[in-house]
């Protein structure tokens, strides 16, 4: 094909996207003589009628008249004009429809320049061959003396046609020309068929004599006839797409016929496989309880399953091609559209809770939405799988309501336990006023502080949002404040330092730890700093992760007072307070207790963290 022929072609480009249209116009104008632009199919038809257009490139989805409808109109005017369709959707049904209309090439968006150039080149090559045939036919009629030379030239052109079988037939239906591609498709050599009739060679295996004559009659009247040939070679079935046209002289007198054909077996098999795959996919979708749907980037439904039909009480055919705004109330449609845009804009999957109206009721669905990608890796659609969670939401609401009721009840229990303990503590305090013996009075005082430390836990739980645990540092500060006040200790003389990790402690841990701190802090305040001696008391609680994924708590109570005698053993202590400490640490908490006597007294209690319980 000559470069000048390619340069002189006029091209009509139809695209509703201004940016793409302008960008492609600039690209095409550098390569071809004349470029015509249209923004919709209606304008494209008008331009085709007014001007001599060689090749048409068109988008599919456009306003007024879409690309396929425009192609159908133009093919009805001139079936020989090559049409290239561009689309962002790798859709089997669109492809089949385009083939049925007679579209020559199919290019996916976003358009790669090499792809569109290749498509234009192939269409131009086909157009070039056709025009060369027309020119050569004209030359043959004008000058019979150059017939051999021109026939040879024509043969060279047709011989190197890459994928099209060409067969020329005279008015007696005898084969006059037969190119190498025809040899490959029909299985006969040129020497075998030249001079023989089409019917004699049985080339058109499934086209009987009557049908062939009808086809010839249609060509005489309308100019061309398209049909398919079903062939069988050694058990291998093949399908050939053929087009029969007339050859006319300068006076428009019919002098013969030309048939162009190509093997579409593989393409037809691919189409059938795609249809079968789509059918199986639809069956899978229809037999799931979830609602499943696919929408294009503009929000139009491409596929839906039976559950979607049941939800909307309309058929698939009434949904396909529509948007949410066509089938749902406006507020719900806007919400669905916003969620869809989030998925497509970020090209990430998301889960949404979406409310679907159905028969005057509202149903809650958990929708998982994710983008679908074409062969170029571009997101061309969105798929949604929506599961009805209405009953689950109702159960959750009931559970939350039940939990709120239990929380109120539990708060009341903690409140009453705290009040009862405070009553007991107050009774002990009142009773101690009548006790003259200082030793007994001290016993009552210590019992009162123990009960107060337990009541304090319930007071903290009652005022806490978390009914199962307390902020331990606040709890320690409250115990210490009460004991300092009870023993009349000025915190400027004996300083209290609290070091606690940022953690919540459950009731099963808080009560025994509070008892231990109460006893050890009482012991320090009473005995560690005699004769107004100054010092400090340190209370520390730390949590450490163990290798077996458990947690170990280490509670330390220390002072820098006068300490204990060297021979003192806390495990053999005779006082009630230290006996309580060892019993709680070892027996209740299943831990260990260690006494360090250097520089005062330091008790280290270590145990595994208990599960919180209320």
């Amino acid at each position: 094909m000559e470069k000048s022929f390619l340069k002189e072609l006029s091209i009509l480009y139809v695209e509703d996207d201004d940016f793409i249209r302008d960008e492609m116009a600039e690209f095409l104008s550098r390569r071809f003589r004349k470029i015509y632009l249209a923004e919709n199919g209606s304008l494209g038809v008008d331009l085709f009628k007014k001007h001599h257009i060689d090749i048409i490139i068109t988008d599919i989805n456009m306003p007024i008249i879409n690309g396929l409808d425009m192609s159908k109109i133009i093919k009805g005017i001139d079936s020989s004009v090559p049409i290239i369709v561009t689309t962002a959707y790798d859709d089997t049904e669109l492809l089949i429809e385009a083939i049925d209309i007679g579209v020559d090439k199919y290019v996916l968006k976003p358009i790669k320049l090499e792809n569109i150039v290749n498509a234009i080149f192939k269409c131009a090559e086909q157009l070039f061959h056709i025009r060369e045939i027309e020119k050569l036919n004209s030359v043959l009629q004008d000058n019979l003396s150059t017939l051999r030379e021109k026939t040879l030239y024509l043969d060279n052109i047709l011989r190197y046609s890459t994928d099209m079988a060409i067969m020329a037939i005279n008015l007696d239906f005898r084969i006059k020309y037969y190119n190498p591609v025809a040899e490959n498709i029909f299985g006969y050599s040129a020497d075998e068929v030249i001079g023989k009739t089409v019917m004699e060679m049985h080339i058109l295996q499934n086209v009987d004599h009557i049908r062939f004559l009808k086809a010839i009659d249609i060509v005489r009247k309308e100019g061309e006839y398209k049909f398919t040939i079903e062939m069988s070679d050694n058990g291998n079935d093949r399908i050939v797409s053929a087009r029969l046209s007339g050859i006319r002289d300068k006076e428009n007198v019919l002098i013969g016929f030309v048939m162009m054909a190509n093997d579409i077996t593989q393409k037809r098999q691919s189409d059938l496989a795609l249809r079968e795959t789509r059918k199986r996919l639809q069956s899978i979708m229809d037999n799931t309880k979830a609602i499943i749907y696919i929408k294009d980037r503009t929000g139009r439904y491409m596929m839906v399953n039976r559950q979607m039909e049941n939800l909307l009480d309309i058929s698939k055919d009434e949904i396909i091609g529509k948007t949410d705004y066509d089938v749902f109330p406006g507020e719900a449609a806007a919400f669905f559209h916003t969620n869809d845009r989030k998925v497509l804009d970020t090209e990430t999957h998301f889960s949404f809770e979406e409310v679907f109206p159905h028969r005057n009721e509202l149903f809650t669905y958990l929708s998982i939405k994710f983008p679908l990608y074409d062969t170029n890796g571009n997101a061309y659609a969105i798929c949604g799988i929506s599961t009805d969670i209405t009953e689950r939401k109702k159960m959750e609401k009931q559970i939350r309501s039940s939990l709120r009721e239990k929380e109120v009840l539990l708060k009341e229990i903690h409140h009453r336990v705290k009040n009862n303990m405070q009553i007991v503590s107050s009774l002990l305090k009142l009773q101690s006023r009548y006790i003259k013996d200082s030793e007994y009075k001290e016993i009552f005082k210590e019992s009162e502080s123990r009960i107060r430390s337990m009541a304090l836990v319930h007071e903290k739980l009652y005022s806490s949002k978390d009914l199962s645990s307390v902020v331990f540092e606040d709890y320690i500060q409250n115990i210490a404040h009460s004991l300092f006040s009870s023993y009349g200790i000025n915190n400027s003389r004996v300083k209290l330092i609290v070091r606690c990790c940022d953690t919540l402690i459950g009731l099963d841990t808080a009560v025994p730890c509070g008892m231990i701190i109460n006893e050890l802090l009482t012991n320090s305040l009473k005995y560690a700093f005699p004769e107004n001696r100054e010092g400090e008391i340190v209370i520390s609680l730390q949590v450490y992760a163990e290798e077996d994924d458990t947690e170990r708590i280490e509670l330390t109570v220390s002072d820098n007072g006068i300490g204990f005698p060297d021979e003192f053993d806390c495990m053999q202590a005779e006082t009630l307070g230290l006996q309580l400490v060892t019993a709680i640490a070892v027996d209740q908490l299943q831990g260990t207790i260690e006494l360090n006597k250097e520089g005062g007294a330091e008790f280290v209690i270590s145990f595994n963290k208990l599960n919180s319980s209320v």
Side-chain angles (χ1 to χ4, degrees):
M1 181 175 59
E2 299 176 0
K3 291 184 178 179
S4 59
F5 175 84
L6 196 63
K7 183 69 176 178
E8 289 300 310
L9 290 176
S10 61
I11 295 179
L12 169 60
Y13 183 58
V14 187
E15 169 63 62
D16 62 332
D17 188 305
D18 295 339
F19 177 79
I20 296 175
R21 188 174 64 251
D22 294 341
E23 187 179 59
M24 187 59 69
E26 181 182 355
F27 172 78
L28 295 173
S29 62
R30 296 197 299 268
R31 290 163 174 79
F32 303 100
R33 176 179 61 84
K34 186 64 178 177
I35 306 299
Y36 298 93
L37 302 176
E39 62 188 31
N40 58 58
S42 177
L43 294 176
V45 172
D46 291 341
L47 286 172
F48 178 80
K49 291 178 179 178
K50 291 179 182 178
H51 303 282
H52 177 75
I53 304 297
D54 293 310
I55 297 175
I56 297 171
I57 307 171
T58 180
D59 188 21
I60 290 181
N61 290 325
M62 294 184 297
I64 306 177
I65 298 178
N66 65 38
L68 292 183
D69 289 342
M70 183 199 75
S71 299
K72 192 171 183 180
I73 293 170
I74 290 175
K75 283 290 186 178
I77 298 171
D78 183 356
S79 62
S80 66
V81 62
I83 298 179
I84 302 169
V85 166
T86 66
T87 180
Y89 311 112
D90 189 7
D91 188 298
T92 303
E93 291 184 358
L94 282 178
L95 178 59
I96 293 171
E97 185 180 354
I99 292 170
D100 291 339
I101 290 171
V103 168
D104 297 83
K105 297 294 176 183
Y106 196 92
V107 177
L108 285 178
K109 287 185 176 181
I111 299 172
K112 292 184 178 180
L113 295 181
E114 60 268 25
N115 291 346
I116 199 70
V117 167
N118 187 48
I120 293 172
F121 184 83
K122 287 187 177 180
C123 287
E125 186 177 40
Q126 178 181 333
L127 190 63
F128 175 75
H129 291 163
I130 292 171
R131 290 186 179 176
E132 286 299 314
I133 292 172
E134 293 172 351
K135 283 195 290 185
L136 287 175
N137 280 332
S138 176
V139 170
L140 285 171
Q141 298 303 317
D142 290 338
N143 193 352
L144 293 177
S145 64
T146 61
L147 179 59
R148 186 179 300 277
E149 178 185 352
K150 296 300 181 182
T151 301
L152 180 61
Y153 181 48
L154 175 61
D155 180 66
N156 286 331
I157 293 174
L158 301 181
R159 184 174 295 276
Y160 296 107
S161 175
T162 56
D163 59 357
M164 190 72 69
I166 300 175
M167 181 167 55
I169 309 167
N170 66 13
L171 294 177
D172 295 327
F173 311 139
R174 295 190 179 278
I175 300 169
K176 308 302 291 182
Y177 180 82
Y178 192 79
N179 77 342
V181 178
E183 292 180 342
N184 293 332
I185 289 180
F186 297 113
Y188 296 102
S189 68
D191 293 338
E192 289 178 287
V193 302
I194 295 297
K196 296 180 181 179
T197 66
V198 173
M199 305 311 298
E200 183 181 357
M201 293 305 302
H202 302 287
I203 289 177
L204 311 181
Q205 291 187 12
N206 69 313
V207 181
D208 59 29
H209 185 68
I210 295 175
R211 184 182 173 192
F212 181 71
L213 292 178
K214 287 182 178 179
I216 292 296
D217 189 52
I218 292 173
V219 172
R220 292 178 187 275
K221 295 176 181 178
E222 301 179 10
E224 71 173 12
Y225 176 73
K226 293 181 180 179
F227 58 101
T228 58
I229 307 170
E230 296 176 1
M231 307 182 65
S232 180
D233 297 328
N234 299 321
N236 296 321
D237 295 332
R238 293 187 295 122
I239 300 175
V240 175
S241 175
R243 182 173 66 180
L244 187 64
S245 351
I247 302 174
R248 296 181 180 273
D249 62 15
K250 289 175 62 176
E251 282 72 33
N252 201 32
V253 175
L254 186 68
I255 60 173
F257 306 94
V258 60
M259 187 177 77
M260 304 178 73
N262 62 315
D263 191 333
I264 61 169
T265 306
Q266 187 174 358
K267 179 180 176 299
R268 182 67 63 87
Q269 289 172 347
S270 298
D271 293 344
L272 291 174
L274 283 173
R275 288 182 182 178
E276 186 62 29
T277 299
R278 185 184 180 92
K279 185 178 179 180
R280 287 197 296 267
L281 175 60
Q282 186 69 56
S283 178
I284 293 170
M285 291 170 58
D286 286 341
N287 286 281
T288 59
K289 293 183 178 180
I291 292 173
I292 304 177
Y293 45 88
I294 298 174
K295 307 176 194 175
D296 64 22
R297 292 192 68 92
T298 65
R300 298 189 179 278
Y301 284 97
M302 301 168 63
M303 283 187 75
V304 297
N305 70 342
R306 187 178 297 120
Q307 297 298 333
M308 185 73 167
E309 291 180 293
N310 296 337
L311 176 72
L312 297 174
D313 288 329
I314 55 178
S315 68
K316 289 185 181 72
D317 293 338
E318 294 175 280
I319 303 172
I320 301 300
K322 303 287 182 63
T323 70
D324 287 323
Y325 291 96
D326 298 319
V327 295
F328 289 109
E331 186 175 348
F335 183 66
F336 301 155
H337 178 72
T338 299
N339 293 343
D340 293 348
R341 290 312 318 169
K342 183 176 181 181
V343 173
L344 289 172
D345 291 343
T346 61
E347 295 193 6
T348 306
H349 71 275
F350 285 96
S351 296
F352 305 99
E353 281 193 10
E354 298 180 324
V355 178
F356 288 75
H358 177 57
R359 297 179 183 174
N360 299 321
E361 293 187 58
L362 296 178
F363 293 83
T364 304
Y365 283 77
L366 178 63
S367 297
I368 300 172
K369 298 186 176 184
F370 50 91
L372 300 178
Y373 298 92
D374 59 23
T375 54
N376 294 319
N378 300 311
Y380 73 93
I382 180 172
C383 179
I385 303 175
S386 300
T387 306
D388 189 349
I389 59 169
T390 306
E391 292 303 317
R392 192 181 85 183
K393 296 295 289 185
K394 289 179 181 178
M395 290 295 296
E396 288 177 356
K397 185 177 180 180
Q398 292 175 359
I399 291 171
R400 283 195 296 269
S401 176
S402 177
L403 284 175
R404 283 194 292 269
E405 292 174 2
K406 288 178 173 58
E407 287 174 0
V408 171
L409 178 61
L410 199 54
K411 278 181 175 286
E412 182 62 24
I413 291 172
H414 283 307
H415 184 55
R416 292 191 181 188
V417 170
K418 183 261 297 183
N419 287 346
N420 289 338
M421 286 187 169
Q422 285 181 340
I423 289 171
V424 173
S425 177
S426 298
L427 289 173
L428 288 173
K429 188 173 184 178
L430 288 172
Q431 188 65 41
S432 66
R433 294 177 182 176
Y434 299 96
I435 299 174
K436 304 301 181 183
D437 190 302
S438 60
E439 182 178 352
Y440 290 134
K441 194 164 187 173
E442 184 63 28
I443 291 173
F444 268 71
K445 187 175 182 180
E446 291 175 357
S447 297
E448 180 190 341
S449 68
R450 290 171 186 140
I451 293 172
R452 190 164 54 243
S453 72
M454 290 187 288
L456 185 58
V457 172
H458 291 280
E459 181 180 350
K460 289 291 182 184
L461 289 171
Y462 171 71
S463 59
S464 172
K465 291 182 179 179
D466 184 354
L467 296 176
S468 63
S469 56
V470 296
V471 180
F472 203 66
E473 185 172 357
D474 293 345
Y475 178 48
I476 293 173
Q477 293 285 6
N478 278 270
I479 292 175
H481 176 76
S482 177
L483 289 173
F484 268 69
S485 175
S486 177
Y487 287 100
I489 304 296
N490 192 325
N491 55 16
S492 63
R493 179 170 71 85
V494 179
K495 294 182 179 179
L496 176 67
I497 299 172
V498 178
R499 300 191 183 105
C500 281
C501 63
D502 185 15
T503 186
L504 294 173
I505 300 297
L507 180 63
D508 289 346
T509 303
V511 171
C513 284
M515 292 288 291
I516 291 172
I517 291 170
N518 181 81
E519 298 303 327
L520 295 178
L521 185 55
T522 297
N523 191 69
S524 293
L525 293 175
K526 287 174 62 176
Y527 305 114
F529 307 104
E531 300 176 354
N532 292 325
R533 180 173 176 172
E534 295 183 350
E536 66 179 27
I537 300 172
V538 178
I539 302 175
S540 169
L541 185 136
Q542 302 297 327
V543 180
Y544 301 98
E546 299 289 274
E547 292 183 358
D548 59 357
D549 294 331
T550 60
E551 291 183 318
R552 181 173 56 84
I553 294 178
E554 188 173 278
L555 172 64
T556 305
V557 180
S558 65
D559 64 60
N560 59 356
I562 61 175
F564 290 93
D566 292 339
E567 66 277 8
F568 178 77
D569 183 1
C570 66
M571 299 300 292
Q572 303 298 325
E574 297 180 356
T575 62
L576 177 61
L578 289 178
Q579 287 178 353
L580 275 174
V581 170
T582 55
I584 292 170
V586 176
D587 297 333
Q588 184 174 347
L589 296 177
Q590 298 293 303
T592 61
I593 182 169
E594 181 183 343
L595 172 60
N596 180 11
K597 303 171 187 173
E598 185 178 351
E602 180 185 59
F603 287 88
V604 180
I605 295 93
S606 180
F607 57 94
N608 288 333
K609 187 175 182 180
L610 302 175
N611 292 326
S612 297
S613 61
V614 180

